[in-house]
Amino acid sequence: MASTTKRLEKKMKILDTAFSLFRDYSVSATAIDDIVKAAGIARGTFYLYFKDKSDLLEQIILYKSTESMKAVLKRMNLQTDMEEADFYEAVRQFLNCFVDFLIENREILPVMNKNLSSCIKNLPEIYDEDIKRIYSLVIESMGNFGYSPDTAHKTVYIVVDMVGSVCSDAILHSKPYPIEQLRNIVIESAICIFKNNADMKYFEDENSGLHALTA
């Protein structure tokens, strides 16, 4: 047990060290030698945890997106027996918290490269049981308003990816519009996606999955 904990701590140290270097000097300007030197580890130790720098970056994105999403989800007052209007208001609250988090932590955005939905794409790989529990509650709540689990997962992914991508550009570059001009439009567009998808009926082909939809 102690050995497993120590290994996890060492891996997290490498992730945090690499993230700081990527943030301060960019991914392309940071070599593996820079990371192991800053982390105080042998080069061989690095390869016990990561295949190469690309693998390291993917794991940083998963780690940081999970941490950011956990921080935002914990602000939601979500219950399984919510009325539909209350659920959409909770979603609106979540998205506003999400945008606030991006603004407050803008230094992570260049490293993340708009991949803030990585934790949803890679949910089975997430070690944090707390975020899995909260996410499951979101999916369960959506089921009360006409969503199948599959449609709920896809909708959450689309919304988080859309909001994260659009807002990242607006926060970092203020182009083509600053975040203040886009925030409400992006959030209300996301709410419309949630409402519209709740009314759709999906059917699957046994060979190729999602094939079509009807209102």
Side-chain angles (χ1 to χ4, degrees):
M1 180 68 177
S3 177
T4 302
T5 301
K6 190 172 182 179
R7 283 178 58 84
L8 180 59
E9 288 175 351
K10 186 167 288 188
K11 180 176 182 179
M12 300 307 288
K13 182 179 181 180
I14 298 172
L15 288 170
D16 286 328
T17 300
F19 174 76
S20 296
L21 292 172
F22 289 165
R23 179 194 61 203
D24 295 341
Y25 303 106
S26 83
V27 176
S28 60
T30 303
I32 290 177
D33 285 341
D34 298 323
I35 297 167
V36 299
K37 182 179 179 180
I41 61 170
R43 187 179 177 90
T45 302
F46 174 90
Y47 290 105
L48 292 175
Y49 300 95
F50 309 100
K51 298 175 184 176
D52 49 31
K53 193 167 76 171
S54 295
D55 181 39
L56 170 65
L57 180 59
E58 287 181 7
Q59 294 200 45
I60 286 175
I61 290 171
L62 177 59
Y63 165 44
K64 288 297 181 179
S65 65
T66 300
E67 291 299 302
S68 63
M69 202 59 62
K70 181 178 177 181
V72 175
L73 284 171
K74 279 193 165 183
R75 301 182 193 182
M76 286 185 69
N77 182 25
L78 195 64
Q79 303 169 9
T80 55
D81 59 349
M82 296 176 75
E83 296 293 332
E84 189 169 7
D86 293 332
F87 173 76
Y88 291 128
E89 185 54 40
V91 171
R92 188 175 284 107
Q93 175 194 349
F94 162 75
L95 293 175
N96 270 300
C97 289
F98 183 37
V99 175
D100 286 339
F101 180 89
L102 299 183
I103 294 171
E104 294 163 8
N105 298 273
R106 59 180 296 147
E107 72 277 2
I108 74 172
L109 299 181
V111 178
M112 298 294 289
N113 193 29
K114 304 181 184 179
N115 287 309
L116 290 152
S117 60
S118 182
C119 63
I120 296 172
K121 290 185 284 188
N122 299 286
L123 196 64
E125 299 176 30
I126 293 177
Y127 57 86
D128 194 303
E129 294 301 322
D130 198 25
I131 194 171
K132 287 183 178 180
R133 178 186 59 78
I134 299 172
Y135 182 77
S136 295
L137 185 57
V138 172
I139 299 303
E140 184 178 348
S141 298
M142 292 173 70
N144 296 332
F145 312 124
Y147 279 90
S148 70
D150 183 65
T151 306
H153 286 297
K154 288 182 173 71
T155 301
V156 172
Y157 163 68
I158 289 169
V159 165
V160 172
D161 203 56
M162 177 190 76
V163 174
S165 178
V166 171
C167 290
S168 291
D169 275 341
I171 292 167
L172 286 174
H173 310 297
S174 294
K175 295 179 180 179
Y177 306 100
I179 187 62
E180 294 80 10
Q181 292 182 20
L182 285 182
R183 175 199 283 260
N184 289 339
I185 296 173
V186 172
I187 290 175
E188 292 310 313
S189 296
I191 295 295
C192 288
I193 291 174
F194 271 103
K195 290 180 177 179
N196 289 340
N197 283 6
D199 294 331
M200 292 179 178
K201 303 298 181 184
Y202 291 80
F203 62 89
E204 295 187 355
D205 182 285
E206 61 180 5
N207 296 316
S208 57
L210 186 63
H211 246 311
L213 57 84
T214 58

